[in-house]
Amino acid sequence: MTQKKFNVLIAALLVVLLLAGCAKNSNSNDTASTDGQSTTASTESAAGKTITLAYSQGAGQTMDPHDAGDLTSASYAFALYDQLVTSGTEEVDGKTMGRTDQIVPSLAESWTISDDLTTYTFTLRDGVKFQSGEPVNADAVVYSFERVQTKGEGGSAYTLANIKSVTKIDDKTVAFKLGAPNHLFLKYLATFSFSIVDPSIAKNNADDYLTTHSAGSGAYKLEKWDPATEAVFVANKDYWNGAPKVEKIVIKFVAEASNRELFLQKGEVDVAFDIPAKDVESLSKNDNVTINSESSNRIVYLGMNANFKPFDQLKVRQAINYVIDQNKLIQDVAYGQAAPLLSSISSKSPDYTAEGYEYKYDLEKAKALLKEAGYENGFTFDLTVNSSTQDYEDIAVLLKAELEKIGVTLNINKVAPAQYRELINNKKAAAYLGKYTSLVNDPSYHYGFLLESNGASNYTGYSSKTVDDLLAQANVEPDDAKRAELYKQVQKQVTADSPWAYLYESNLIVGISKDVKGYIFYPDEIARFSSLYK
């Protein structure tokens, strides 16, 4: 195999294309002039302008990109920090869409890959500085990757990336050695977990300092943060990729969907996330609001922990699957803003297959399976539901009614977000409603977190040697076709083992003021603030 090279000339070409709108950098805030050269928004146009976004899940858990695990904190990381590479964009029917499967230069202007696919050598961009004024150099890169290893979420990503060493060659050059070829390595590097932090700040403060402060090179600086209510970011006017087009970004925590919608319609917020599907039609009639509903790789499922009776029995888990009427859920809960879920990964994921999925709504089949499992008279269980997600409660109410038809009593355990996370993270929930969006849209990432035996987000405690072995084999398989077949075997095995009951694939629904421009949907569902403007 010849050495794969991404040299400076190609990187420069990518940047020109990016500025021209063919493959835009996800952190780019420039507009393209007629000669293809970038022009940044003027200071006058940015002065005093504020964009306010309403989030449903809280105002974020942390400002530390290496510890971030929720989508809100992830959006903060992308605002405050840069990564070596980033996700691109493309124009689809006159609309800019994010492409997490397309990698373009960011702090690294170019890179090369060794013939054996295990060594990646990156050349850093000249003249980039952290917000402190310190240079973004090879020492900062090495330090950042040493630091991320010690963190929970970031450490899991580091392990999945199979990084064995990160070495400084000179101030502008860094080499990564992998334990084995990894077809996802560049995509991993584009995630917020691998943000580059300023050693001059991080090293000289307590380890938890970055939980509430920032030390990045990103388009925005942190002004203030109250995890219970709001976060405020101000423009980094010296940003290496062009100053943001608005002076300030304000994040508001608005738990109630009705309030998010009201504030949006009154102009008190500019962007509202997690708009309920039931309100899409009515809000679409408002001339001052645009509804953006995009099919993502988000899956919604019912997790069953085999360490709790009766979910330790396969036939019980199978019976629950036969009680699921996906079409009814899609119409009555998701109001058509969803699609059937027929595998443990989204249909938007590479190597997806619905093979092995045989469940159809069949109450008699469910009753027969319960009888075979010794639960002819049914049983009672608690279903843990996050109180901040209205869809969860609607799903639970519908499932409760269906399960009563086969003699099973479902108690809805509705808890606050913090308690919900504690229960499922510690595997203390016998059953729970969950949703998951893979930040890297690939089976390796998805299963590595969710269903591999030691996965950080394996909240059902599912463990299958067959699945683990198939994943280990697939993760180092360089041949695309062979790897695809291995992932299909994984899907069929997981479906057969039924640690989950599949519910549906949901859209990400965002309400946007007509005055706001530059919103870009990414399949990972993480908002990028720097493209927004009025």
Side-chain angles (χ1 to χ4, degrees):
M1 180 181 295
T2 60
Q3 184 182 51
K4 297 183 179 180
K5 294 186 177 181
F6 298 81
N7 56 31
V8 175
L9 178 61
I10 293 175
L13 178 59
L14 279 173
V15 172
V16 171
L17 290 173
L18 179 144
L19 292 172
C22 295
K24 299 175 188 173
N25 184 315
S26 66
N27 285 335
S28 174
N29 310 290
D30 297 342
T31 56
S33 66
T34 55
D35 63 358
Q37 297 300 310
S38 65
T39 58
T40 58
S42 69
T43 302
E44 289 77 19
S45 66
K49 289 194 175 180
T50 298
I51 288 181
T52 302
L53 303 93
Y55 277 61
S56 65
Q57 298 293 318
Q61 298 174 19
T62 182
M63 290 291 165
D64 190 334
H66 297 161
D67 257 342
D70 63 291
L71 294 181
T72 308
S73 298
S75 64
Y76 296 167
F78 279 133
L80 297 168
Y81 295 88
D82 292 306
Q83 300 75 39
L84 290 175
V85 296
T86 191
S87 299
T89 62
E90 68 174 351
E91 298 298 319
V92 180
D93 298 327
K95 188 177 184 179
T96 304
M97 303 290 288
R99 289 285 302 272
T100 54
D101 62 337
Q102 181 186 89
I103 302 303
V104 297
S106 184
L107 293 178
E109 64 180 3
S110 63
W111 55 90
T112 61
I113 308 173
S114 64
D115 289 342
D116 66 0
L117 307 179
T118 63
T119 301
Y120 289 68
T121 304
F122 293 86
T123 300
L124 302 180
R125 197 177 296 276
D126 279 329
V128 179
K129 293 184 178 181
F130 288 107
Q131 293 165 3
S132 67
E134 293 295 315
V136 177
N137 55 24
D139 289 325
V141 174
V142 172
Y143 170 77
S144 297
F145 279 85
E146 289 175 346
R147 183 178 188 274
V148 74
Q149 294 180 68
T150 67
K151 304 298 178 181
E153 293 288 339
S156 294
Y158 191 97
T159 299
L160 285 173
N162 201 5
I163 301 170
K164 293 304 178 186
S165 66
V166 184
T167 306
K168 172 184 175 180
I169 306 301
D170 56 43
D171 280 348
K172 281 190 60 182
T173 312
V174 181
F176 287 74
K177 181 67 176 178
L178 308 185
N182 187 338
H183 65 288
L184 291 182
F185 181 62
L186 290 173
K187 294 177 184 177
Y188 279 123
L189 291 191
T191 65
F192 60 89
S193 292
F194 293 125
S195 296
I196 306 304
V197 304
D198 186 345
S200 72
I201 294 177
K203 280 185 176 181
N204 294 323
N205 289 281
D207 187 56
D208 62 353
Y209 180 80
L210 294 188
T211 301
T212 55
H213 299 80
S214 66
S217 60
Y220 281 92
K221 302 177 181 180
L222 178 63
E223 181 176 277
K224 64 178 180 178
W225 178 45
D226 177 354
T229 57
E230 69 172 6
V232 180
F233 302 86
V234 294
N236 175 11
K237 295 180 180 178
D238 297 321
Y239 186 47
W240 64 271
N241 203 24
K245 296 177 183 178
V246 292
E247 175 67 25
K248 189 170 290 189
I249 296 287
V250 177
I251 308 300
K252 295 284 188 183
F253 170 39
V254 185
E256 292 295 329
S258 59
N259 288 336
R260 292 196 300 278
E261 294 174 4
L262 178 63
F263 295 156
L264 178 66
Q265 293 179 87
K266 292 172 64 178
E268 295 180 20
V269 303
D270 298 294
V271 182
F273 290 92
D274 289 324
I275 297 293
K278 66 181 178 63
D279 297 332
V280 167
E281 184 177 356
S282 61
L283 283 174
S284 296
K285 297 175 182 177
N286 189 314
D287 292 338
N288 296 318
V289 174
T290 297
I291 296 298
N292 190 292
S293 180
E294 299 286 351
S295 176
S296 70
N297 61 26
R298 181 195 298 187
I299 62 171
V300 181
Y301 63 95
L302 189 162
M304 295 169 281
N305 192 330
N307 293 314
F308 289 81
K309 291 183 177 298
F311 299 120
D312 58 334
Q313 295 202 41
L314 173 61
K315 290 181 178 179
V316 170
R317 301 194 300 273
Q318 291 174 331
I320 299 296
N321 272 278
Y322 279 108
V323 176
I324 305 299
D325 186 342
Q326 289 199 20
N327 290 329
K328 187 174 180 63
L329 286 169
I330 289 169
Q331 293 306 314
D332 293 357
V333 176
Y335 291 82
Q337 305 293 316
L341 177 63
L342 306 179
S343 180
S344 44
I345 61 175
S346 163
S347 60
K348 305 296 185 297
S349 178
D351 308 324
Y352 163 85
T353 182
E355 292 178 24
Y357 183 82
E358 300 177 353
Y359 297 112
K360 291 183 276 188
Y361 180 68
D362 189 337
L363 295 182
E364 293 307 313
K365 178 69 172 177
K367 289 178 183 177
L369 285 166
L370 286 184
K371 183 176 181 179
E372 292 174 23
Y375 290 93
E376 183 175 5
N377 297 320
F379 60 91
T380 299
F381 73 100
D382 292 341
L383 180 67
T384 298
V385 175
N386 188 332
S387 64
S388 71
T389 306
Q390 181 61 46
D391 288 359
Y392 282 176
E393 188 171 355
D394 295 342
I395 292 168
V397 170
L398 189 152
L399 293 181
K400 180 178 177 68
E402 294 296 339
L403 286 165
E404 286 176 354
K405 298 174 184 177
I406 63 170
V408 173
T409 300
L410 182 160
N411 295 322
I412 301 174
N413 181 29
K414 185 177 172 182
V415 298
Q419 186 180 357
Y420 172 84
R421 287 192 295 270
E422 181 182 357
L423 287 170
I424 67 167
N425 286 349
N426 293 313
K427 300 181 176 63
K428 293 181 179 179
Y432 65 94
L433 291 180
K435 61 183 176 182
Y436 193 84
T437 303
S438 286
L439 303 182
V440 176
N441 189 21
D442 188 274
S444 174
Y445 182 96
H446 183 88
Y447 287 118
F449 274 96
L450 284 174
L451 290 164
E452 192 271 333
S453 292
N454 296 316
S457 302
N458 183 355
Y459 303 130
T460 63
Y462 173 69
S463 182
S464 165
K465 186 177 186 304
T466 298
V467 167
D468 290 349
D469 289 346
L470 286 168
L471 289 175
Q473 187 178 346
N475 291 344
V476 297
E477 174 56 62
D479 185 274
D480 291 346
K482 292 179 181 179
R483 189 168 62 247
E485 182 54 38
L486 291 167
Y487 285 138
K488 288 177 180 179
Q489 291 181 48
V490 169
Q491 291 171 74
K492 288 187 277 188
Q493 185 64 53
V494 171
T495 296
D497 292 340
S498 302
W500 298 345
Y502 302 153
L503 303 181
Y504 54 81
E505 301 180 18
S506 67
N507 287 10
L508 175 66
I509 308 173
V510 182
I512 307 167
S513 168
K514 284 287 177 65
D515 294 334
V516 172
K517 311 298 181 184
Y519 171 76
I520 300 175
F521 166 79
Y522 285 82
D524 60 17
E525 298 189 2
I526 302 172
R528 274 68 163 179
F529 304 151
S530 58
S531 62
L532 297 172
Y533 65 97
K534 287 184 176 180

